[in-house]
Structures are given as structure tokens and as C-alpha cells.
Amino acid sequence: MSRWYIIHAYSGFENKVREAILSEARRMGLEAFIDAVEVPAETVTEVFKGKKRQIERKSMPGYVLAKLAMTDDVYHLVKNTPKVTGFLGQQNKPQPISEAEAARMLNTKSEETPAAKIKKKANFEIGDSVRVLDGPFASFNGLVEEIDFDHGRVKVSVSIFGRATPVELGFEQVEKQK
């Protein structure tokens, strides 16, 4: 019976570890014991220089999830894979996790797990000086007062006729001044 296990790997080498486990399993004829090897990742909308772009970011750096039928051969295959430090568990003994927990970590849709939200990232912080790129306040300068990552909005204080006025804009409508 296959169960989900968490493999601890060197950070930045998760995809190489995944490929190495799969290719070594094929070479040793152990493919039947390995159902899946996944690197947990999430899609993030990033705003950079006023342009939106979607990037894939590892949600658990340094970890790889694998659905394995744990045998001595499979244990040694994973443990001896380059850039793997071991399994997550007590006293270096692999501890399986539930199907629901694995689904949550992998951001997959299931009955228990809601669809993953797209997170937005801004390249500015509260107190930064920004320039408005479009809209009725285009070319105005202001200071960031609030950032709402859930909705991708930012509250900027701009000077209109000598008075500070708060204006709510989207991340893509402003850029940080250098």
C-alpha cells in the first residue's frame, strides 16, 4: 500500500532530487513501488516594473513529497539519492502523512481542500515613495500607506492641490521610485 512521505532535500535541488529518484527507480526496476514524486509549488502573480507575471514558487523549499510503497529497497533508493538528507520522521524513521495533508501541501483540489488562492507580490513596502502609472492620478507621486495582498491593492497618499489624499490603486498601477 502506497503512503505519502516527506523527503528532506537540499534547498534549491528539489526538482533534481525528484528526477533522480524517478530515474533511479526505473534503473533498479522499482517503478511499481513509486506512485508519485512531487515538489510542492504555488502560482504567484508578481508585479514587477508595473507588469504582472505569473511565476511558480516552491511552497515548501527543501522538501519533496513522494507516494511510496515503503520497502527496504525503496527506502535505500531514496536515502542514497544525491542531495537527499533523509525522510521526515522521528529517529530517521519515515513517518507517513495523510492523503488530505498531502493534497493540502500540493495545492490539489479535493473535497476537503479548497482551491489554492493566487497570492500577489508587490515590489514595494509601506512608507516607500511610488509613482502612479495609469488612471486619473497618472504621473502623481505618493507614499504607500497600506498594502492589501489578498486583493492586489495598495493605498497611496498623493498630494492633490497641496493636500494629502489617500488613493486606492492596483499593484500594477504603481511602481517604486528609485
Side-chain angles (χ1 to χ4, degrees), residues 8-178:
H8 189 258
Y10 290 2
S11 189
F13 290 91
E14 298 89 351
N15 290 324
K16 286 187 185 341
V17 165
R18 177 185 178 280
E19 294 304 318
I21 290 171
L22 293 172
S23 67
E24 191 65 12
R26 274 192 298 278
R27 190 185 71 72
M28 295 175 69
L30 298 173
E31 317 174 91
F33 297 102
I34 299 175
D35 291 346
V37 180
E38 302 291 335
V39 177
E42 61 188 349
T43 302
V44 178
T45 302
E46 193 174 69
V47 178
F48 186 71
K49 294 188 178 179
K51 292 187 171 77
K52 285 185 185 180
R53 63 180 182 184
Q54 300 248 328
I55 59 167
E56 191 93 349
R57 178 174 295 140
K58 291 175 182 70
S59 57
M60 293 174 50
Y63 294 98
V64 177
L65 268 65
K67 190 168 188 176
L68 312 167
M70 189 58 73
T71 64
D72 286 342
D73 289 337
V74 172
Y75 173 81
H76 290 293
L77 173 131
V78 173
K79 188 80 171 114
N80 295 329
T81 300
K83 311 287 189 233
V84 169
T85 59
F87 285 94
L88 219 55
Q90 293 180 339
Q91 298 160 349
N92 213 16
K93 187 176 172 191
Q95 184 70 39
I97 61 172
S98 69
E99 197 74 39
E101 185 70 13
R104 186 187 64 76
M105 289 178 187
L106 293 170
N107 291 325
T108 56
K109 293 181 184 177
S110 72
E111 292 76 39
E112 299 88 43
T113 312
K117 286 185 178 178
I118 294 179
K119 296 184 180 179
K120 297 191 177 187
K121 183 182 173 210
N123 61 335
F124 43 80
E125 298 173 357
I126 294 176
D128 283 351
S129 179
V130 293
R131 186 170 65 88
V132 180
L133 297 173
D134 70 345
F137 302 103
S139 77
F140 277 72
N141 294 328
L143 292 174
V144 176
E145 290 182 344
E146 292 178 26
I147 301 174
D148 181 0
F149 289 101
D150 293 336
H151 298 101
R153 310 287 292 166
V154 62
K155 190 179 280 186
V156 177
S157 176
V158 294
S159 179
I160 301 174
F161 302 120
R163 297 182 74 193
T165 306
V167 177
E168 193 167 306
L169 303 162
F171 284 172
E172 68 280 355
Q173 291 180 287
V174 296
E175 79 174 351
K176 184 176 179 177
Q177 288 198 308
K178 293 163 178 79

